[in-house]
Amino acid sequence: MERTINLSSSHQGLSLQEVVARRAAGQGNNTKLETSRSYWQIFRENIFTFINIVFFAISLVMLLLQRYTDAFLVVAIIGTGIVISVIQEIWAKRKLDEIALLNRPQATVIREGKVYDIEPGEIVLGDVLLVQAGDQILVDGVLVGDGRIDVDESLLTGESDLIAKTSGERVYSGSTCVAGNALYEAQKVGADTVAYRLMTGARAFRQVYTPLQQEINLVIRVLFLLACYLWILVGISFLSKSYSLSDIVQHAAVVAGLVPSGLLIAITLAYGTGAVGMLGQNVLIQQANAVESLSNVDVLCLDKTGTLTANHMQLESVLPLGIDEGSLWRKLGDYVANITAHNRTTDAIAVVKTGNQREVKQEVLFTSARKWSAIAFADGDDRGVYVLGAPEILARSLSLSEDVSGKISEATRQGLRVLLFAWNPDLGVLSYEDNPPLPPTLTPLGVIIFSDQLRDNVQDTIDQFIQAGIKIKIISGDNPETVAAIARQAGLNQEMRVISGLELASMDAVQFAAAADAGGIFGRITPEQKANLIKALRQAGNYVAMIGDGVNDILSLKQANLAIAMESGSKATRAVADIILLKDSFGALPHAFLEGQRIRNGIRDSLALFIVRVFCVALLIFSIGMVTDSFPLVNKHSALLAMFGVGLPTAVFPIWARPGRFRQKRNMVRSLLHFTIPATISMTLVALIVYLLYLVRAIIDLPVGAEFSQMDYRLPRTALLTVLVMCHLLLLPFLKPPTKLWVGGEPISGDWRYTIAALALFFVFLATLTIPETQKFFELAPLNTFDLIFLIAIAIEWCFIQRAIWRSRFLDKFLGVDLS
């Protein structure tokens, strides 16, 4: 897109013919920057996992042993999980690529004296580029012309201090222009740049784990170690006992099923449904787990301007000091007409008053850390240094009457932004160093008052967060009283402690941490202080989300557990964000928060069933091995238990889960112990008794003179499988009690869907038990009517016993701890 700006004759840029020639010579910025994993990476990371390799090896051995149905079952189960994961992750990759395309940085280039907005890949060596506040520097180069910029190179150096750049100094890709504007000539492009990968690194695939993911990974690793131990025992049994190779492979397959690979599928489905749920809500997810991460947030930090308010500054009034109003307007007009770096405040002045071009000797750009800007006019009768900034900052160099100070205080208490305009006739008071100090003496010329409007529905949004138990902290560069007034208008507690950046600057580390926790409103905060506040909150054990829109928020966004940016914010701010609020839809956040809770609760329900199944089967392997010197299940039986007891129910958990917050400061596994430990122990005991009863029956049915090695284990194993599946299905209404009758380990939910699902799966399992073809395929023994009634009665009796254990809190009292 072509645009027009004023350029000096010496910086007309390359001709179009030169651009074509240099691109043909391989001097273009055409290095491909990956924004997500490749398709090969997705396939490799989902197929060639250790547990998958184990399962495939087992299926291969089963093929060699001509157990084709067992081999098919193993491959089908693992293959289904792989297909689901690959499809979901390819979808996520495409969405991530779309996001990167939507938010990719644009380059502003000068060619033949005209300004063009182009893709970064179209830059060629020698191009002259324009960079302004909030822009990323896309290639390495050197500044040309009279411009000056302040650059954040923290992505390259790790240092947060801004670096002033003027003509002749180098700039590097991966850095960000925070203030000012300038031209620079591209001297290194493509792979030759110092940090070309960092340019879109914030949008590239990053494996950032939430607390929930860390817990799940820990559970899987522990269960994998358990499986490894059992595999060793299986191997030893092959050498020391009379098991055949076919038996050993069966046992190894059952043990492999203890590793809950299906849990990863449940998490993938949960994140997938969460991403779909956010479509149409104006919430752009840049990290797959960002919505779930939001459910962990207990402290939400946000800026005032651009977040609570719409950042539509309007000049309300001016108060001349020592000069007439006309002179004040003329000086303000000249000031905004000659500065090189504009912001919302100066734009609001320019809307009301425009000035004349003047001879500028020196300029100091505004930054959030400095909180003032200045310009030195070397021409006219009113030549001198003019300063525009925060009254409390300029107060170091001037004095105001009580009347003026009172009017400033009154305006700030009303939530208005107040700036002070001052000057000094001596051009020499403005330093030429990189970080110039405020001129030591100034004469006030006027007070300028601005207003900003609250965003729509901001009060409702804040109320929803407070009701959810999330602490709100407002951190702004504005005057503390102004910030407090806006906070009150937004419905925040009027008793929130107000702390200024000047107070924080005088505190030691301990006092700073205490202030971060106690304070609710922070004003006149520098970007570095804002980042340190986020860091202190995290170190105190909080899970912190930060919402920002400007380049001054980048440091704090990087420190937060969850970074959220406004769409209207700077490119650099959007680049480091995990979530982008499209159309600046602050009101969409509560919905995203509830969606995160829903995802978390769905995964919690899935984890509960997985824990019970895995540890129940593990205990049965040990118990039955010790008591009877046999193995409780074959591979097909284990697959049926996994499918009916866990797999099919957890497939709908991510869809059916409801939002709701459980006790904070507790990890998820700990929160499930009161449910899973009693259920696992009691279910194991019941299943062991059933197995032993039917084992005795099988022994009685042995022909006279037959040896125990000839005994058919199908009946005791089928009975064991049946009672395990029924008990697992009965856990569903206990997990989400539809009525008080089912309340035991979990509070009443009133949700009948889980109970209906359990009933439907029960009838499907009964059909599997009774249909001859499925009996044969799954190696099930036929059960007569008496057996079925007996096993159903056992499961129901277990159900009442288990409810009594939960309600009496027997295990809690026995252990002397609170497991709830």
Side-chain angles (χ1 to χ4, degrees):
M1 183 179 70
E2 180 183 331
R3 292 191 282 124
T4 302
I5 63 172
N6 295 323
L7 297 166
S8 72
S9 59
S10 59
H11 301 118
Q12 299 297 303
L14 299 175
S15 68
L16 298 182
Q17 291 80 6
E18 288 176 311
V19 171
V20 173
R22 296 189 184 196
R23 186 173 293 117
Q27 296 177 336
N29 189 47
N30 52 7
T31 300
K32 185 178 180 180
L33 295 167
E34 294 294 335
T35 57
S36 62
R37 290 179 296 173
S38 66
Y39 289 108
W40 166 242
Q41 282 179 299
I42 292 174
F43 279 103
R44 185 183 66 218
E45 292 171 9
N46 281 281
I47 295 174
F48 300 108
T49 64
F50 180 82
I51 193 63
N52 284 353
I53 292 173
V54 170
F55 276 117
F56 288 140
I58 289 172
S59 64
L60 179 61
V61 174
M62 288 179 173
L63 280 175
L64 295 176
L65 295 173
Q66 297 184 345
R67 296 187 64 90
Y68 302 117
T69 55
D70 279 314
F72 168 78
L73 195 62
V74 171
V75 172
I77 292 174
I78 298 302
T80 301
I82 291 172
V83 168
I84 292 173
S85 296
V86 167
I87 290 174
Q88 198 279 331
E89 292 194 26
I90 287 177
W91 177 83
K93 167 190 165 54
R94 290 177 175 172
K95 293 299 295 182
L96 195 60
D97 289 344
E98 290 175 12
I99 291 165
L101 186 66
L102 176 67
N103 292 295
R104 66 186 184 275
Q106 290 284 304
T108 303
V109 66
I110 314 298
R111 291 172 180 169
E112 296 183 339
K114 297 177 181 178
V115 180
Y116 297 90
D117 292 325
I118 64 173
E119 300 294 325
E122 297 178 23
I123 299 172
V124 298
L125 195 67
D127 259 330
V128 175
L129 295 105
L130 172 65
V131 61
Q132 303 179 85
D135 288 347
Q136 290 177 327
I137 294 170
L138 304 177
V139 294
D140 295 356
V142 62
L143 291 190
V144 296
D146 300 328
R148 169 183 167 146
I149 55 175
D150 287 345
V151 178
D152 174 8
E153 293 184 349
S154 59
L155 283 175
L156 303 176
T157 66
E159 299 293 331
S160 60
D161 293 336
L162 300 181
I163 301 173
K165 302 279 187 176
T166 55
S167 181
E169 295 189 80
R170 297 193 64 81
V171 290
Y172 302 98
S173 63
S175 55
T176 303
C177 174
V178 175
N181 57 64
L183 300 176
Y184 70 101
E185 181 181 329
Q187 294 190 337
K188 289 184 179 181
V189 295
D192 293 331
T193 58
V194 171
Y196 78 99
R197 289 186 183 88
L198 293 177
M199 187 171 67
T200 53
R203 289 185 303 281
F205 175 80
R206 296 181 293 150
Q207 196 71 358
V208 181
Y209 292 115
T210 66
L212 172 60
Q213 288 176 305
Q214 293 171 6
E215 286 186 60
I216 298 296
N217 287 338
L218 177 61
V219 169
I220 290 176
R221 287 185 175 94
V222 169
L223 295 178
F224 178 72
L225 289 176
L226 173 63
C228 288
Y229 177 72
L230 291 175
W231 278 324
I232 293 173
L233 295 183
V234 168
I236 294 173
S237 69
F238 177 62
L239 300 175
S240 62
K241 297 183 180 180
S242 58
Y243 288 125
S244 66
L245 179 61
S246 177
D247 291 334
I248 294 301
V249 173
Q250 286 278 356
H251 299 171
V254 173
V255 171
L258 297 180
V259 181
S261 55
L263 185 57
L264 297 177
I265 298 174
I267 294 174
T268 301
L269 287 172
Y271 285 156
T273 56
V276 171
M278 296 314 299
L279 294 178
Q281 297 295 327
N282 291 323
V283 177
L284 195 62
I285 307 301
Q286 297 211 115
Q287 291 294 331
N289 58 8
V291 178
E292 183 263 311
S293 179
L294 187 59
S295 70
N296 296 286
V297 171
D298 49 20
V299 176
L300 177 63
C301 300
L302 42 91
D303 196 2
K304 174 187 76 68
T305 305
T307 304
L308 291 181
T309 63
N311 202 13
H312 296 153
M313 286 292 171
Q314 183 175 347
L315 198 157
E316 291 291 332
S317 63
V318 296
L319 175 64
L321 301 176
I323 59 174
D324 60 80
E325 186 171 334
S327 297
L328 176 59
W329 278 116
R330 179 173 54 80
K331 295 177 186 295
L332 280 172
D334 287 351
Y335 183 92
V336 298
N338 288 272
I339 57 175
T340 57
H342 286 265
N343 53 39
R344 302 279 185 175
T345 305
T346 56
D347 287 343
I349 297 174
V351 168
V352 179
K353 179 66 177 179
T354 57
N356 301 315
Q357 290 295 314
R358 302 281 297 271
E359 180 185 344
V360 178
K361 181 180 180 182
Q362 172 71 348
E363 181 182 4
V364 176
L365 304 177
F366 175 85
T367 67
S368 297
R370 192 178 291 130
K371 304 202 181 301
W372 59 271
S373 60
I375 193 168
F377 293 141
D379 61 336
D381 295 336
D382 57 349
R383 62 180 175 272
V385 175
Y386 291 83
V387 181
L388 182 66
E392 58 269 38
I393 302 299
L394 269 58
R396 305 168 188 168
S397 301
L398 53 76
S399 60
L400 297 172
S401 67
E402 290 186 6
D403 180 55
V404 173
S405 297
K407 291 180 179 179
I408 291 175
S409 297
E410 178 62 27
T412 56
R413 283 195 295 269
Q414 295 175 16
L416 301 172
R417 172 176 290 185
V418 181
L419 294 180
L420 199 58
F421 191 48
W423 84 303
N424 187 307
D426 183 5
L427 295 176
V429 299
L430 197 59
S431 170
Y432 283 78
E433 57 190 79
D434 285 345
N435 190 22
L438 184 70
T441 57
L442 292 170
T443 301
L445 297 177
V447 177
I448 301 94
I449 300 175
F450 304 85
S451 65
D452 198 358
Q453 291 183 342
L454 285 176
R455 290 191 180 278
D456 294 338
N457 302 320
V458 69
Q459 292 184 345
D460 292 339
T461 303
I462 293 293
D463 286 343
Q464 290 179 60
F465 278 118
I466 293 174
Q467 290 171 10
I470 298 176
K471 294 180 182 178
I472 304 292
K473 294 184 183 290
I474 313 297
I475 308 175
S476 174
D478 244 338
N479 181 283
E481 292 299 326
T482 299
V483 181
I486 293 294
R488 287 192 293 270
Q489 293 174 24
L492 288 169
N493 190 338
Q494 297 191 14
E495 297 180 359
M496 292 179 73
R497 182 179 171 186
V498 180
I499 300 175
S500 72
L502 295 176
E503 293 176 79
L504 290 177
S506 63
M507 296 180 181
D508 58 27
V510 175
Q511 292 171 327
F512 190 97
D517 179 65
I521 298 170
F522 300 87
R524 288 291 181 237
I525 301 297
T526 66
E528 190 171 68
Q529 286 177 326
K530 188 180 292 189
N532 288 335
L533 284 169
I534 303 297
K535 185 177 180 180
L537 289 168
R538 288 191 61 181
Q539 290 175 341
N542 297 295
Y543 199 89
V544 184
M546 172 68 196
I547 306 177
D549 65 336
V551 290
N552 60 309
D553 296 319
I554 293 175
L555 291 176
S556 53
L557 288 171
K558 291 177 185 176
Q559 287 291 338
N561 295 100
L562 184 68
I564 305 172
M566 295 291 188
E567 184 185 17
S568 64
S570 70
K571 300 173 187 175
T573 306
R574 295 197 304 268
V576 300
D578 301 306
I579 294 176
I580 297 177
L581 301 180
L582 300 180
K583 300 180 182 178
D584 294 349
S585 54
F586 181 56
L589 268 182
H591 177 83
F593 176 76
L594 294 176
E595 185 69 17
Q597 285 187 343
R598 192 188 63 78
I599 291 173
R600 185 179 176 89
N601 291 341
I603 294 174
R604 181 179 183 271
D605 294 340
S606 301
L607 182 60
L609 292 188
F610 272 102
I611 289 176
V612 172
R613 181 188 72 85
V614 168
F615 283 101
C616 184
V617 172
L619 288 174
L620 284 171
I621 291 173
F622 282 110
S623 304
I624 292 175
M626 291 176 62
V627 175
T628 68
D629 196 25
S630 62
F631 205 80
L633 298 168
V634 296
N635 179 49
K636 291 179 180 178
H637 297 169
S638 177
L640 277 176
L641 176 60
M643 180 171 62
F644 283 98
V646 177
L648 294 176
T650 57
V652 296
F653 280 1
I655 302 171
W656 288 353
R658 291 176 176 175
R661 200 175 187 91
F662 53 87
R663 189 179 302 181
Q664 292 295 304
K665 308 301 181 185
R666 294 283 292 274
N667 62 52
M668 181 173 287
V669 175
R670 175 70 188 274
S671 73
L672 288 171
L673 292 181
H674 76 287
F675 182 88
T676 56
I677 291 180
T680 300
I681 294 175
S682 62
M683 191 183 299
T684 302
L685 287 173
V686 168
L688 177 62
I689 292 171
V690 168
Y691 182 84
L692 293 177
L693 286 174
Y694 278 83
L695 185 63
V696 170
R697 175 174 161 182
I699 293 172
I700 294 173
D701 291 342
L702 275 175
V704 178
E707 297 181 0
F708 285 126
S709 60
Q710 298 175 310
M711 186 171 56
D712 185 0
Y713 283 95
R714 286 190 307 155
L715 180 61
R717 285 171 175 166
T718 302
L720 173 67
L721 171 66
T722 302
V723 77
L724 282 176
V725 169
M726 290 179 179
C727 290
H728 273 81
L729 291 178
L730 285 169
L731 282 178
L732 294 182
F734 278 125
L735 197 60
K736 287 288 181 286
T739 65
K740 292 181 179 179
L741 176 69
W742 293 96
V743 173
E746 292 290 293
I748 189 169
S749 72
D751 192 342
W752 280 94
R753 292 175 298 178
Y754 295 81
T755 305
I756 295 171
L759 195 61
L761 289 174
F762 169 74
F763 285 114
V764 174
F765 179 70
L766 279 184
T768 305
L769 285 175
T770 54
I771 296 174
E773 289 77 12
T774 54
Q775 282 182 358
K776 182 179 179 181
F777 180 82
F778 288 106
E779 300 179 16
L780 299 169
L783 296 175
N784 57 40
T785 303
F786 173 81
D787 290 326
L788 288 174
I789 294 173
F790 173 72
L791 292 172
I792 292 172
I794 291 291
I796 293 174
E797 185 176 357
W798 167 84
C799 176
F800 285 105
I801 293 172
Q802 182 56 55
R803 187 185 67 173
I805 293 173
W806 276 324
R807 289 184 175 182
S808 67
R809 304 180 67 84
F810 170 79
L811 191 63
D812 299 54
K813 295 175 182 177
F814 178 78
L815 296 176
V817 295
D818 182 9
L819 294 177
S820 61

